[in-house]
Amino acid sequence: MAAGLANGRPAADEEARAEVDVLNSRLEKTTQLTKKIQACLGRLEATGKSVRDVAGPLNGETRKLQILGNNIDSVIAAIERLRQPADSKNDEEQIIRMGPDKAGLSNYLGSIKRLNKALNDMKASNLRSTQQTVAELQRLVKLGNSQLENAFDKLLRSETPRMIEPLHFITKNKPFPVLSQDKFNKLGLMNSFVHQQSAGGTAPQESPVAKIYAEIRSQYLSSSLVNMAAASSNTAKKKNPDAIYRAGTNGIGTYAQAMEGLFIAEYENICNIFTREDWGSVFQATCQPALVELGRTLRELNGHIKQHMNTDCYLAYEIVEIISALSNNLESKTGELKSSLAASLKPVRETAKSSLAELLEDTKRRVNSLQTLPQDGAPIPIISETMQRLQTMVDFLRPISSIMVSLGDGNWKSVSASRSGAAGDAIPSLASFDVGADGKEIFAHYCTDTIEALMMSLDGRARLLLQKKPVMGVFLANSVVIIERMILQSDLGPLLQGRLAVLEAWRKKATSLYMDACKDVSVHLFDMIKTGQGGRSGGRPTSGQGGAVDSASIMKGLGSKEKAEIKEKFQLFNAGFEDMVQKHKSYSMEKEVRQQFAKDMQNMIEPLYCRFWDRYHEVDKGKKGGGQRVKWDKGGIAAVFLGLY
């Protein structure tokens, strides 16, 4: 077995050596093959370098030739493009010379658009050879735009009447006319084209078609409103200079109504023709001439109001309300014209504000300038005129409240304060014309200030010119009654309810002045005679003592001197009373004043006389000339008082 193993080992070794020899042989072949490949790569690299050295310049030349070819193609294309407008110029010129009417608006606009594009392309090329063509294209474009503007002008004028009669539309409640839809389309197309051409250059208000539109339509608006403006001025003139202005009698209300209708219709036209950014500027330009005429009319009316402030200040209040409403309505529907209308209204508004103080001052001035007063205490016209003015103001309470609120409570007491009121020049909003509690309160305050100023002026003048207290009392009482009557019998009543205390103070003063004469007469009915002591029958009964008074007994208890004094008192009373009655009847009194003063006289004198008569009427009895001193019994004097009412 060991011998078998020994024989097997050499065989395995031989086999291993044989495999090693095979591997070595293959490795040697691989090495040789690698060397050959490296040699081939070296030769290939050398060949590639030679090719690159030869092909490099050829590739650069080829690239240059390609660029040159592309440039040539571009030049040829540009030349073709430049030749094309020149070639088609005659066709476009034919369309332009035909005009938009014959060529058709769309075709005409397309031609101008193509000419503009060709012109811009040629200008961009900046070639000397195209300068003549550029000039010709510019001429055609200018001609085309000019004819387009003329077509816009012609079409718009054909649809615009010289004027219309606004009253026809107002009285029949018809909408004011606007342009037809067909004209909207054509005019809008023209404007849109012009707007695109001038985009980025000409400002909207400088657009040629906008200027044309404003010129044509502004003439139409002005012509349509000129008669309304004249009517407003003419209706301010009146046959009777002293007649107080009544609401609605001036033509300014119809004028404003016509203006609002025309302006809103015009704004609708503008919105259908122009772009949104142009609406405001075109509308302003179109309405401006009509607004200038409105301003002139308002200045003329303002001059008239200033000359007739006492009677026509109400026209100023009415104008403030009407033009403010016009401004607010137009602003809500168009967003425009508020500042223009505010400027037009400013003079009248300032006059309306200052009128409140001026009327107060005028009332004082007129009273203080009086050189005489009626010596019978009769009222004077300025009292009813002043109250009539306040009554008329109630008809204009809305604008007056607005003015007073803006002026400030009490600022009407001086002209300078009223002219520099807090409101400024701005037109008040519609809400400010709502007569709320504040507006009524301020107006009521103005009324009481006016009444107080009037009564103080009358009182001062009465003290200077009348001097006699009873006449002064009659004069003031008449004034109070007329004022009170004109308040209660008019719309002033509810506004001044609870504010008539100012009149009560003057009524008391008037009564006090008038009753001064009664005091002088009644003093003769007071006796200071001591007719006895203790329980004598002739003694004076104490106040409140019941039972009849025995005049005969009292007279028996008097001495001759005391009886003479009683007789004198009767005589003095008779003379004073008769004079007082005669004067009472001679005074010019309002019915209420006569009755009130008669009652006051009776309440003061009759009880005193009846008491005096009860005690001393027997002073005449049994004597010569009896009955001449005691002229009236109690029934008789009551009848006299009854005749005073």
Side-chain angles (χ1 to χ4, degrees), residues 305-371:
I305 293 167
K306 285 185 172 182
Q307 291 177 359
H308 305 85
M309 184 68 82
N310 284 329
T311 57
D312 285 5
C313 60
Y314 319 102
L315 176 57
Y317 309 143
E318 185 174 65
I319 291 173
V320 168
E321 181 174 19
I322 288 172
I323 302 302
S324 297
L326 170 65
S327 174
N328 287 313
N329 290 343
L330 287 175
E331 187 189 25
S332 66
K333 293 174 182 176
T334 69
E336 302 292 335
L337 304 184
K338 184 165 187 176
S339 60
S340 298
L341 287 168
S344 298
L345 180 61
K346 181 180 177 181
V348 178
R349 183 168 174 77
E350 290 301 314
T351 297
K353 287 164 58 179
S354 63
S355 70
L356 299 171
E358 288 181 17
L359 291 172
L360 267 177
E361 292 300 319
D362 181 71
T363 298
K364 299 176 187 176
R365 185 168 55 250
R366 289 176 62 194
V367 174
N368 293 332
S369 66
L370 292 172
Q371 299 302 313

Side-chain angles (χ1 to χ4, degrees), residues 68-185:
L68 180 60
N70 290 336
N71 289 340
I72 292 171
D73 291 340
S74 298
V75 170
I76 293 171
I79 292 172
E80 289 296 324
R81 287 196 303 272
L82 292 174
R83 287 180 57 192
Q84 185 178 0
D87 293 340
S88 62
K89 178 176 69 67
N90 293 334
D91 295 335
E92 303 295 356
E93 183 174 5
Q94 185 178 3
I95 294 174
I96 295 300
R97 292 197 178 280
M98 288 174 65
D101 292 337
K102 292 182 179 180
L105 183 59
S106 298
N107 189 27
Y108 186 84
L109 295 178
S111 178
I112 297 179
K113 194 176 294 184
R114 291 190 295 272
L115 286 172
N116 272 315
K117 184 177 183 303
L119 179 60
N120 291 332
D121 289 342
M122 283 194 170
K123 285 182 176 179
S125 69
N126 200 25
L127 294 176
R128 185 177 301 176
S129 60
T130 63
Q131 288 182 355
Q132 182 178 356
T133 305
V134 167
E136 292 177 353
L137 289 176
Q138 286 177 327
R139 177 180 56 80
L140 281 177
V141 169
K142 184 177 180 180
L143 176 62
N145 288 333
S146 176
Q147 291 190 152
L148 183 63
E149 293 169 16
N150 291 338
F152 187 93
D153 184 297
K154 180 180 177 181
L155 181 59
L156 185 60
R157 286 186 189 277
S158 68
E159 280 289 296
T160 302
R162 191 180 71 83
M163 62 173 291
I164 62 170
E165 181 50 64
L167 274 178
H168 171 75
F169 298 92
I170 293 173
T171 55
K172 295 189 176 182
N173 199 25
K174 287 184 175 182
F176 281 78
V178 296
L179 301 177
S180 65
Q181 188 62 47
D182 176 56
K183 299 304 184 289
F184 280 152
N185 295 337

Side-chain angles (χ1 to χ4, degrees), residues 195-203:
H195 188 273
Q196 291 173 4
Q197 296 297 314
S198 61
T202 306

Side-chain angles (χ1 to χ4, degrees), residues 285-586:
T286 305
C287 297
Q288 193 57 38
L291 291 173
V292 170
E293 179 62 21
L294 172 66
R296 187 200 63 76
T297 302
L298 293 182
R299 288 192 299 273
E300 185 176 338
L301 290 173
N302 188 53
H304 169 83
I305 293 167
K306 285 185 172 182
Q307 291 177 359
H308 305 85
M309 184 68 82
N310 284 329
T311 57
D312 285 5
C313 60
Y314 319 102
L315 176 57
Y317 309 143
E318 185 174 65
I319 291 173
V320 168
E321 181 174 19
I322 288 172
I323 302 302
S324 297
L326 170 65
S327 174
N328 287 313
N329 290 343
L330 287 175
E331 187 189 25
S332 66
K333 293 174 182 176
T334 69
E336 302 292 335
L337 304 184
K338 184 165 187 176
S339 60
S340 298
L341 287 168
S344 298
L345 180 61
K346 181 180 177 181
V348 178
R349 183 168 174 77
E350 290 301 314
T351 297
K353 287 164 58 179
S354 63
S355 70
L356 299 171
E358 288 181 17
L359 291 172
L360 267 177
E361 292 300 319
D362 181 71
T363 298
K364 299 176 187 176
R365 185 168 55 250
R366 289 176 62 194
V367 174
N368 293 332
S369 66
L370 292 172
Q371 299 302 313
T372 59
L373 287 177
Q375 295 302 307
D376 59 356
I380 55 179
I382 193 174
I383 301 168
S384 57
E385 289 171 4
T386 301
M387 294 310 300
Q388 189 177 14
R389 188 177 73 228
L390 295 178
Q391 287 177 340
T392 306
M393 281 184 170
V394 178
D395 296 334
F396 302 89
L397 190 55
R398 279 167 53 89
I400 288 177
S401 295
S402 169
I403 292 167
M404 287 182 172
V405 168
S406 66
L407 195 59
D409 193 0
N411 282 341
W412 50 75
K413 292 181 180 179
S414 69
V415 175
S416 58
S418 66
R419 286 176 177 165
S420 59
D425 300 334
I427 283 185
S429 65
L430 287 172
S432 69
F433 286 95
D434 293 334
V435 185
D438 290 343
K440 291 180 179 178
E441 189 76 12
I442 293 177
F443 178 71
H445 186 188
Y446 177 78
C447 291
T448 56
D449 277 359
T450 300
I451 293 169
E452 182 67 20
L454 174 63
M455 291 303 302
M456 288 183 67
S457 300
L458 293 173
D459 178 55
R461 213 62 190 158
R463 280 187 277 112
L464 181 64
L465 299 176
L466 296 178
Q467 297 181 348
K468 296 179 181 179
K469 290 184 178 180
V471 184
M472 292 167 56
V474 171
F475 179 72
L476 293 178
N478 281 336
S479 303
V480 169
V481 165
I482 291 173
I483 291 171
E484 184 176 50
R485 182 191 304 145
M486 293 185 74
I487 289 173
L488 297 178
Q489 293 179 356
S490 70
D491 292 335
L492 286 170
L495 293 170
L496 296 182
Q497 188 175 9
R499 288 179 168 269
L500 297 183
V502 62
L503 289 180
E504 286 304 315
W506 287 105
R507 197 194 313 273
K508 289 179 180 178
K509 181 172 183 176
T511 301
S512 175
L513 288 170
Y514 189 78
M515 296 303 291
D516 193 68
C518 292
K519 292 177 183 177
D520 293 341
V521 173
S522 65
V523 73
H524 302 304
L525 300 176
F526 293 102
D527 59 297
M528 303 296 294
I529 299 172
K530 298 179 181 179
T531 57
Q533 302 293 332
R536 288 180 58 184
S537 61
R540 178 196 298 267
T542 59
S543 177
Q545 178 178 325
V549 177
D550 187 352
S551 176
S553 300
I554 293 175
M555 294 306 299
K556 288 179 182 179
L558 298 179
S560 58
K561 182 180 179 181
E562 294 166 336
K563 289 179 181 179
E565 290 179 357
I566 294 297
K567 292 176 182 178
E568 184 182 9
K569 284 180 177 290
F570 268 113
Q571 289 175 332
L572 291 173
F573 171 79
N574 292 341
F577 184 69
E578 285 179 332
D579 181 65
M580 185 180 68
V581 168
Q582 185 272 330
K583 288 181 178 177
H584 179 85
K585 292 180 178 179
S586 69

